[in-house]
Amino acid sequence: MGNRTRRWAAGLCAALIVSMPALAGETPKRGGTLNYVIPADAPPSFDAHRETTYATIHSAAPFYSLLIRVNPQNPGSTTDFVCDLCTEMPKPTDDGTIYSFKIRQGIKFHDDSGLTAEDVAASWQHIIFPPEGVLSPRESHFVMVDKVEAPDPTTVVFRLKFATDAFLPALAGPYNWIYQKAHLDADPRWYEKNILGSGPFKFADIETGQSIKGVRNPDYYHPGLPYLDGFVGIYADKQAVRVAALRSDRAAIEFRGFPPSVRDELVGALGDKITVQESDWNCGSLIEPNHKKKPFDDVRVRRALTLAIDRWGSAPELAKIANVHTVGGIVFPGAPLAATSEELHEVAGFWRDIEKSRIEARRLLKEAGAEGLSLELLNRNVDQPYKYNGNWVIDEWSKIGLKVTQKVAPTGPWFEAMRSGNFDVVLTGNCQNVVNPLLDVQRYLPSYGANYGQFEDQKAASLYDSMLRETDFTKQRALMRAFEKHVLDVQAHEIFLLWWYRMVPHHSYVKGWKISPSHYLNQDLATVWLDR
């Protein structure tokens, strides 16, 4: 086990001391119903194993349990994990390749059937080794797993092919809901349309396109939780409707987040009745050049595109109008593996001197025979932050003589154009949940399923594989810097823009919820209470 792995294991054991949030001296009040708005008309399905959208998480996470989770008291941590269904965090054995979890006894699914290690193992087998015809978007997060076994009703064992620091953060992901083995055996797609968990709330009702309701689970296995009697999640895909719901107190919170203008509007209208929680967001915007289209198959052109963009000078102004904020590389800002400012300044597009950078961009375009290049930017028909980023980048590119038009497409056609390769360059993103840099950067691999740039690069794949298997932190960090330099600079496969910024205004009577760097995390509502 490497030094970094030992430090993580020690931190995990220490985290067991506090498995639920301390509430800063406040005594939680019991009862009441939390009304919140969900920025969608409906989730595509209720099966978190197959979905990638917050609409599924915000609708149904309160009904389900996880094996382990990010500590709700410290939801931004990359190392602080606690048990949910397990009794204690295990120390890995066999050089970090075997993790054995003991499962709590007496837990019931909401239909009163007992939950055992077999249900936990079956859920994980469904995620890691999905049956034919079953989608599992996070299957690649578990390339290190060889087997998942339940040797007895109280034990689940994960056997890894190799030790890696990426495993535990992946295990704590918010989509890894524990399902009933009997339903998975009978129909592996049963959970797409049905809800049955063991979490803090029981499913009560759904009105399609209107709301979903849950009521307190009196048999919940964490003593004293949840505090709420229930919740109502109100579907509202239009921002104006969600803002009006908060202003009128028909809803207390919207968990995804609003742009600066809405934050300021709500604070101005409601004063101290509104509390605002803010955090860097584990979402980054990027531009992918289509490597199968000329001249974007030429690395000189791709490097010119990134060199033209003034991230350092533009970020403060953009942050006033859009939910973007922080200049950074491919690793979430503040994470131990993230580049420092000094290290970023060595990467194309992040140089200190923007004029020097643009001079180099013009030189590269001339050398490639692409001076005055005309191109089309494909963008998503979503204001925050897609349209803001698109307009910004087009203006930046005009400063090196490029002639850019923008094609703004609804989400469906936007995805279809990316998948079919029908674009010059596309503005897209990389949103992850638990901050897990070793897995989050899979987005920049040639083997990644959403490699819409259609590039091939054996060196990038080799660097990543070495980094995933390296447990010595110093060596791991050096490999991350080499990987980042390679994909953003040497080959300029991706043009990373800015990290998003999450702003969640909510009524001040909502207590016990802490913002995290992801709108997928901390959504089971078990610790939320209402001070009124």
Side-chain angles (χ1 to χ4, degrees):
M1 189 188 300
N3 293 336
R4 179 66 174 166
T5 305
R6 289 192 187 95
R7 289 199 298 272
W8 277 32
L12 294 171
C13 293
L16 291 173
I17 298 170
V18 183
S19 62
M20 288 295 151
L23 295 163
E26 296 181 300
T27 301
K29 297 179 181 178
R30 296 192 172 279
T33 298
L34 175 72
N35 295 328
Y36 62 94
V37 277
I38 301 172
D41 55 1
S45 91
F46 291 108
D47 185 358
H49 292 187
R50 67 165 281 127
E51 301 302 343
T52 60
T53 172
Y54 62 86
T56 295
I57 293 288
H58 290 195
S59 297
F63 305 127
Y64 288 96
S65 303
L66 302 169
L67 176 59
I68 68 171
R69 59 185 298 191
V70 174
N71 188 343
Q73 188 180 20
N74 189 21
S77 175
T78 61
T79 60
D80 190 356
F81 308 110
V82 297
C83 277
D84 188 9
L85 285 177
C86 56
T87 59
E88 62 178 352
M89 294 294 296
K91 295 181 180 180
T93 58
D94 199 18
D95 293 325
T97 61
I98 297 179
Y99 289 77
S100 296
F101 291 86
K102 284 294 182 181
I103 305 303
R104 298 174 189 267
Q105 297 299 286
I107 297 176
K108 295 180 180 180
F109 284 105
H110 296 157
D111 64 355
D112 286 332
S113 61
L115 183 153
T116 71
E118 288 188 346
D119 298 296
V120 178
S123 298
W124 278 104
Q125 289 159 358
H126 190 247
I127 294 167
I128 301 173
F129 312 111
E132 185 176 351
V134 172
L135 178 66
S136 181
R138 287 159 292 278
E139 182 181 357
S140 66
H141 289 188
F142 298 97
V143 293
M144 74 291 286
V145 177
D146 184 35
K147 294 179 182 177
V148 185
E149 301 168 324
D152 62 63
T154 66
T155 308
V156 174
V157 180
F158 292 81
R159 300 184 185 276
L160 309 190
K161 301 170 189 174
F162 55 89
T164 174
D165 288 342
F167 175 63
L168 279 175
L171 206 68
Y175 287 94
N176 302 329
W177 296 349
I178 300 305
Y179 293 161
Q180 193 177 75
K181 181 178 185 296
H183 282 301
L184 290 176
D185 288 346
D187 178 4
R189 299 186 65 175
W190 186 84
Y191 278 91
E192 292 178 25
K193 296 182 179 180
N194 298 279
I195 294 171
L196 177 61
S198 56
F201 294 90
K202 291 184 174 184
F203 172 70
D205 185 41
I206 185 166
E207 296 181 51
T208 303
Q210 299 296 316
S211 65
I212 186 166
K213 299 177 182 179
V215 296
R216 187 178 189 274
N217 175 12
D219 298 318
Y220 190 47
Y221 47 88
H222 287 297
L225 297 179
Y227 299 118
L228 297 169
D229 290 334
F231 70 85
V232 178
I234 303 164
Y235 295 110
D237 58 351
K238 291 182 169 52
Q239 179 174 287
V241 175
R242 300 195 301 276
V243 174
L246 263 71
R247 286 191 65 151
S248 64
D249 201 14
R250 295 196 305 274
I253 188 169
E254 189 254 73
F255 288 108
R256 186 174 183 267
F258 284 116
S261 59
V262 171
R263 173 199 61 194
D264 297 344
E265 174 190 342
L266 289 170
V267 171
L270 300 175
D272 61 6
K273 293 180 181 179
I274 284 287
T275 296
V276 180
Q277 297 192 47
E278 302 187 359
S279 171
D280 274 315
W281 202 338
N282 196 13
C283 282
S285 293
L286 57 132
I287 288 171
E288 279 190 313
N290 188 344
H291 290 53
K292 299 297 184 184
K293 270 196 171 185
K294 291 186 178 299
F296 309 106
D297 60 337
D298 190 326
V299 67
R300 294 171 295 184
V301 174
R302 300 195 301 269
R303 289 189 85 242
L305 293 179
T306 192
L307 284 162
I309 300 169
D310 182 9
R311 296 155 176 87
W312 301 103
S314 301
E317 295 306 311
L318 278 168
K320 296 175 182 177
I321 57 173
N323 58 0
V324 296
H325 186 269
T326 302
V327 179
I330 60 175
V331 178
F332 181 72
L337 289 175
T340 64
S341 294
E342 290 71 22
E343 289 167 333
L344 272 179
H345 287 145
E346 301 301 316
V347 177
F350 296 88
W351 296 356
R352 288 181 175 86
D353 188 339
I354 187 59
E355 290 310 314
K356 176 184 175 182
S357 187
R358 287 175 178 157
I359 289 169
E360 174 65 5
R362 293 187 192 96
R363 186 193 70 79
L364 288 169
L365 288 173
K366 183 175 182 179
E367 186 179 285
E371 284 183 291
L373 174 67
S374 296
L375 67 146
E376 181 181 81
L377 171 67
L378 173 65
N379 202 355
R380 187 180 186 182
N381 189 22
V382 174
D383 284 347
Q384 291 289 350
Y386 291 88
K387 290 182 181 178
Y388 287 90
N389 276 327
N391 293 336
W392 165 49
V393 166
I394 288 172
D395 184 60
E396 296 291 282
W397 282 342
S398 72
K399 295 170 184 175
I400 59 167
L402 300 183
K403 302 175 179 64
V404 187
T405 57
Q406 183 173 195
K407 179 181 180 181
V408 177
T411 296
W414 174 72
F415 269 116
E416 178 55 35
M418 286 192 289
R419 289 166 179 158
S420 64
N422 186 24
F423 66 90
D424 294 336
V425 297
V426 61
L427 202 155
T428 181
N430 182 27
C431 283
Q432 303 294 335
N433 46 75
V434 177
V435 177
N436 187 359
L438 294 175
L439 295 183
D440 294 350
V441 300
Q442 284 185 346
R443 179 67 178 77
Y444 310 106
L445 288 172
S447 59
Y448 189 72
N451 172 18
Y452 301 125
Q454 304 180 79
F455 63 86
E456 299 174 5
D457 191 332
Q458 184 54 47
K459 183 173 180 180
S462 179
L463 281 168
Y464 178 77
D465 189 61
S466 297
M467 180 170 60
L468 185 64
R469 294 167 184 263
E470 181 57 69
T471 56
D472 179 271
F473 177 69
T474 301
K475 295 177 181 177
Q476 189 185 89
R477 197 175 189 284
L479 285 164
M480 181 65 83
R481 295 285 74 72
F483 180 76
E484 181 174 61
K485 177 81 172 176
H486 184 79
V487 299
L488 295 187
D489 185 330
V490 177
Q491 291 298 322
H493 293 313
E494 312 283 0
I495 299 170
F496 193 86
L497 299 178
L498 296 169
W499 286 91
W500 295 14
Y501 194 65
R502 192 176 176 207
M503 292 162 275
V504 178
H506 60 80
H507 281 268
S508 298
Y509 60 75
V510 176
K511 306 287 187 178
W513 179 82
K514 286 191 174 184
I515 196 169
S516 76
S518 166
H519 54 301
Y520 308 115
L521 291 174
N522 227 13
Q523 290 305 132
D524 74 355
L525 309 183
T527 61
V528 174
W529 57 281
L530 306 180
D531 187 16
R532 65 175 185 178

